[in-house]
Amino acid sequence: MDAKIKAVLISIGSIDIDASLVGKIGMSTAGPAAGEKSIFFRSGGRRVRLTIDHKSPLHAALDGEDIVILMDNRELTRGRIEEELIHCPEQAYITISERCIYDCKFCTVPLRDGKIKNTKEIKELVEVAYHTGLLKAIAITSGVADSPGSEVERAVEVIKVLKKYNVPIGVSVCPAANSTVMLKEAGADEIKYNVETMDRNIFSLVCPGLDLDFILEALEEAVSVFGKNKVYSNMLIGLGESDETVEQGVEELARIGVIPILRAIDVHPLRSKEITADRPSPQRLLKLAKITKEKLDKYKLRVDQSQTMCLPCGGCDLVPQVDL
Ligand code: SF4
């Protein structure tokens, strides 16, 4: 699987695969893809995550020990299925609160009113992952059950307890007053505050109640507290933003030392009446990933220094400096 094929797979985002070919099937509990079952496919040093959908134009078949991915009866690539640990391979990526007081129009978490895991439950999950011998990192994320501040307090308590596993810990939450310092002091090694989009008009429509300027200020502070190559932010692609807006947004983030993660939009059927979005084409994904790579190089940011969350996983994105 080269970068072009990975772009095709991400653009489609799903695969028709028989359950017998899959080991442990994962279900996402956080973010836009919450509630979807997916597989991780690895080939040529690259990884892709695909949602299982029996109507997908991509089909998986077994050929010897290889999983072959076909489209229109033509082989696109072959490789192996990777088992996830918790949410993704090699990491325990755990969602604290599977609910949210906000109403971002691309996200199903607010519609699910899911549970809030306590610290003991999370520690038990990580303990099991640790004893597999495969745990390379821990990542903690959360919706906002009550307020960003109380969610940060939950994350702080969890991170303190998980330090004993002696693996890098990443945290991705909604920023709150003093959240960066609190999370760093608790023991987090890397942090992600998502801007979701750098198109301000679109932001105000799809993220009502959130403040992009506050998130950007938090990101800037995070770079001064966590350091270079340790601060990240997701930008969704396919909300109607132009390539120019994406490029300007990537430049703005990279200039302050933040590594942007460009994420193809995936609108769940539960949200399809509330938002118009277009999954980006493979060509657009490649173009924007190349632009991001140029910006990262320009500001001397290094994706391969990242140890937790989405950059080392790479399942959902074309990762600049890694995939191309
Ligand atoms: S890239 Fe991020 S969101 Fe996607 S599967 Fe990996 S860890 Fe999860």
Side-chain angles (χ1 to χ4, degrees), residues 194-269:
N194 291 334
V195 291
E196 311 295 4
T197 176
M198 290 294 278
D199 183 313
R200 287 173 182 277
N201 293 331
I202 293 175
F203 185 94
S204 60
L205 291 173
V206 300
C207 298
L210 290 171
D211 181 346
L212 182 54
D213 288 324
F214 181 71
I215 298 168
L216 289 168
E217 283 163 24
L219 283 165
E220 194 156 8
E221 188 200 0
V223 175
S224 68
V225 172
F226 279 78
K228 209 167 177 177
N229 302 317
K230 294 186 180 298
V231 183
Y232 322 109
S233 191
N234 282 11
M235 285 171 66
L236 292 168
I237 303 300
L239 290 169
E241 71 292 323
S242 66
D243 289 356
E244 291 70 33
T245 317
V246 175
E247 179 165 359
Q248 285 162 15
V250 167
E251 168 85 24
E252 191 176 337
L253 290 171
R255 190 180 341 110
I256 60 171
V258 175
I259 298 182
I261 298 172
L262 272 48
R263 173 70 42 88
I265 186 80
D266 181 20
V267 177
H268 193 278

Side-chain angles (χ1 to χ4, degrees), residues 167-213:
V167 294
I169 300 179
V171 60
S172 174
V173 289
C174 199
N178 210 30
S179 55
T180 299
V181 171
M182 287 169 69
L183 292 163
K184 177 70 179 166
E185 286 177 351
D189 299 284
E190 300 177 340
I191 191 161
K192 180 159 73 160
Y193 293 141
N194 291 334
V195 291
E196 311 295 4
T197 176
M198 290 294 278
D199 183 313
R200 287 173 182 277
N201 293 331
I202 293 175
F203 185 94
S204 60
L205 291 173
V206 300
C207 298
L210 290 171
D211 181 346
L212 182 54
D213 288 324

Side-chain angles (χ1 to χ4, degrees), residues 40 49 87-88 91 93 192 263 309-311 313-317:
F40 290 88
R49 171 187 165 276
H87 169 82
C88 66
Q91 298 191 48
Y93 203 143
K192 180 159 73 160
R263 173 70 42 88
M309 303 183 282
C310 296
L311 292 174
C313 170
C316 296
D317 318 300

Side-chain angles (χ1 to χ4, degrees), residues 68-85:
V68 181
I69 296 186
L70 305 137
M71 188 162 73
D72 299 328
N73 289 323
R74 193 172 58 88
E75 178 175 330
L76 283 184
T77 182
R78 58 177 59 221
R80 302 286 164 94
I81 302 280
E82 281 184 294
E83 280 213 4
E84 66 177 73
L85 208 45

